[in-house]
Amino acid sequence: QMQLVESGGGLVQTGGSLRLSCVAAGFSLDHYAIGWFRQGPGEEREEISCIDDNGNDRSTYYYDSVKGRFTVSRDNNKNTVFLEMNNLKPEDTGVYRCTAAWDRACPTGWLTNDIFGRGTQVTVSG
């Protein structure tokens, strides 16, 4: 079964840091672009970051509100994508989910035939 599993969420104070992981099980992340989506309470889902898999010339994407604070990276040998989040703000609170989109550029968007994780909760207290 092909699935993604997120981890690393939690409760953190404003200005703190968290590192999220997205691990693929049952398939290889090679050739998949990985998107990170966030949905805050009462808000719409938004793609906040993405990393493609274009050989040695990988491209990344960041939503304006997280630029300079979040860093996405991947280790295909470990079948894992990371999202390093620094200087967290209360508005970063939400459920963070990763998605795997086959051979697409960033941002990937949210398509029903992609592979989705269930998400990990991030709560930033003010």
Side-chain angles (χ1 to χ4, degrees), residues 1 15 43-44 51 56 59 63 70 75 79 88 95 103-104 125:
Q1 182 179 0
E43 297 178 359
E44 293 186 356
I51 184 168
N56 293 325
S59 295
Y63 195 62
F70 290 12
D75 185 341
N79 236 17
L88 284 162
V95 176
D103 199 26
R104 281 215 301 275
S125 63

Side-chain angles (χ1 to χ4, degrees), residues 21-103:
S21 298
C22 170
V23 180
F27 72 105
S28 168
L29 283 181
D30 291 352
H31 305 295
Y32 281 90
I34 305 300
W36 281 98
F37 290 79
R38 175 177 68 199
Q39 187 163 18
E43 297 178 359
E44 293 186 356
R45 182 179 56 234
E46 57 189 4
E47 186 169 4
I48 58 164
S49 186
C50 176
I51 184 168
D52 69 14
D53 193 27
N54 187 20
N56 293 325
D57 189 25
R58 289 172 177 160
S59 295
T60 57
Y61 161 83
Y62 298 98
Y63 195 62
D64 283 349
S65 65
V66 306
K67 284 180 180 177
R69 301 188 296 122
F70 290 12
T71 304
V72 63
S73 61
R74 66 192 295 160
D75 185 341
N76 281 14
N77 290 329
K78 296 182 179 179
N79 236 17
T80 303
V81 174
F82 304 97
L83 185 67
E84 186 77 33
M85 306 188 297
N86 297 314
N87 191 21
L88 284 162
K89 304 175 181 180
E91 51 264 42
D92 294 320
T93 294
V95 176
Y96 285 69
R97 299 177 69 179
C98 58
T99 68
W102 171 260
D103 199 26

Side-chain angles (χ1 to χ4, degrees), residues 99-117:
T99 68
W102 171 260
D103 199 26
R104 281 215 301 275
C106 288
T108 62
W110 184 277
L111 299 182
T112 55
N113 60 343
D114 292 339
I115 303 167
F116 305 96

